[in-house]
Amino acid sequence: MTIAYLLGGQIPLAAGLVTEYCVRFPAIREVFEQAARWTELDTSDLIAGKFDGEGELVQSFGAVRQASLIVGMHDVLANRNIRPDVIGGLSLGGLVSACLAGGVDRQQLFEMLHYQRLIPEVPADSPLQGMAVATLAESGVIEEYVSPVRPGIYLAADYGVVPGEDKRVIVLAGYRADLAALAAEQPTRIRMLEEYVGAFHTPLVQHVADFMAHHISGMTFHDPKITLCSPHQTGVIKTADEVRELFLTQYLNPIRVHLLMNEVNHFGAEDAIVLGPGMPQGYVANRLTLKFVLSAYDLATL
């Protein structure tokens, strides 16, 4: 039986969630201790989610924390001789997937996520950026909602058609004023995501990709040891150079969930284990069914 792992994108983790995992599973706490050493963060703060900062500092801290949790979950299952044959993820989950597939070592991944705290802030006089979720009819045309028809708005993620329903969910990102205007025009279809203040996975974060390119170019990448799938391309990531390209371009490329799911399906997986949060629940693509591990209990009983 082919075992697939899917990893979601970065989201804020609920208070106490990580503590519960670390108390129950020493292997997860060990990963948090390793991450703390590599990033010079405090282990207790990293587990508890306590951090005094804002902007990219918070984003970087959250990425290190969520990546630690996912890697720890992987280790718990590996200790039970459960290992993936194919793996892939969205955004942060894609980077962690590359690590778990052997494309980059753990220390370099965590150091890179921590380095993101140094990304320069957008100049104060620049237009505010943001994100919004849109629910379209299954036959809805994405191009009607993004540039050039809608200047300043881009597709950040396409989650595809909701199973059993005539609707398609996408995430838009761009200039906040333009997104707000669109949401005001179509309030039943579009909702602003107030927790996001950047236009992730669009050309508007080119400054982020440019800043991170120097650090990423100095990292050592390897050919993946297990099948690594991407939400940005058809076909799997096979070489060290392709892993490096994933890291360099993932800030700018929109996420297309069907590409990831189709590749996982291609390798014979009928269901997949979703480690941690950030993947839309209830999603089924073709014959692929997702088994979510969202709590310490889920992990213990998997």
Side-chain angles (χ1 to χ4, degrees):
M1 175 181 174
T2 300
I3 298 177
Y5 282 6
L6 294 175
L7 313 181
Q10 184 175 346
I11 65 171
L13 300 180
L17 176 70
V18 173
T19 300
E20 180 184 357
Y21 279 105
C22 289
V23 168
R24 192 158 186 173
F25 301 104
I28 294 180
R29 181 177 178 86
E30 182 178 347
V31 173
F32 273 87
E33 291 171 348
Q34 291 173 334
R37 288 197 301 272
W38 293 329
T39 61
E40 298 184 350
L41 293 167
D42 181 82
T43 302
S44 297
D45 289 345
L46 196 57
I47 291 173
K50 295 179 181 178
F51 185 74
D52 183 17
E54 57 185 21
E56 296 297 345
L57 293 172
V58 174
Q59 190 75 11
S60 171
F61 179 83
V64 172
R65 190 168 183 249
Q66 186 167 333
S68 299
L69 178 60
I70 295 171
V71 172
M73 288 175 155
H74 165 276
D75 289 357
V76 169
L77 295 178
N79 290 339
R80 298 186 208 157
N81 292 317
I82 301 173
R83 293 179 174 85
D85 302 293
V86 55
I87 191 169
L90 312 179
S91 193
L92 172 63
L95 304 183
V96 179
S97 294
C99 173
L100 296 178
V104 64
D105 72 36
R106 294 184 180 188
Q107 181 171 349
Q108 291 204 358
L109 171 69
F110 283 110
E111 289 175 347
M112 173 258 176
L113 295 177
H114 187 50
Y115 188 79
Q116 290 181 142
R117 76 194 187 283
L118 302 177
I119 294 170
E121 296 286 345
V122 176
D125 58 350
S126 298
L128 296 177
Q129 298 178 2
M131 305 185 79
V133 62
T135 303
L136 313 182
E138 182 176 352
S139 59
V141 180
I142 292 176
E143 287 74 17
E144 295 179 358
Y145 293 83
V146 299
S147 181
V149 175
R150 293 279 184 172
I153 299 178
Y154 302 87
L155 176 68
D158 180 5
Y159 287 109
V161 177
V162 176
E165 300 185 41
D166 178 23
K167 63 181 182 181
R168 181 178 190 173
V169 177
I170 64 174
V171 176
L172 303 170
Y175 293 120
R176 192 169 186 82
D178 297 320
L179 286 168
L182 180 58
E185 290 177 20
Q186 302 187 37
T188 61
R189 289 193 181 277
I190 300 172
R191 175 176 59 85
M192 294 293 294
L193 297 172
E194 301 297 342
E195 62 271 31
Y196 294 103
V197 295
F200 304 110
H201 300 294
T202 78
L204 295 184
V205 293
Q206 182 68 54
H207 68 288
V208 173
D210 292 343
F211 178 81
M212 291 299 298
H214 177 72
H215 182 88
I216 292 170
S217 296
M219 295 169 62
T220 301
F221 295 95
H222 313 279
D223 296 349
K225 295 181 177 63
I226 64 174
T227 302
L228 177 60
C229 302
S230 166
H232 306 301
Q233 66 178 56
T234 300
V236 300
I237 296 172
K238 297 181 178 180
T239 69
D241 285 343
E242 290 173 340
V243 177
R244 178 181 289 106
E245 186 68 11
L246 170 67
F247 274 68
L248 288 169
T249 62
Q250 65 94 20
Y251 298 100
L252 307 172
N253 288 337
I255 291 168
R256 301 182 188 275
V257 175
H258 72 280
L259 294 179
L260 175 62
M261 298 297 190
N262 287 347
E263 288 302 325
V264 172
N265 278 336
H266 178 74
F267 288 91
E270 294 185 357
D271 52 26
I273 299 170
V274 181
L275 294 184
M279 184 72 71
Q281 294 189 51
Y283 189 96
V284 180
N286 299 329
R287 63 181 183 276
L288 189 66
T289 303
L290 306 188
K291 297 180 179 179
F292 286 83
V293 180
L294 299 173
S295 69
Y297 174 82
D298 292 340
L299 186 60
T301 56
L302 186 66

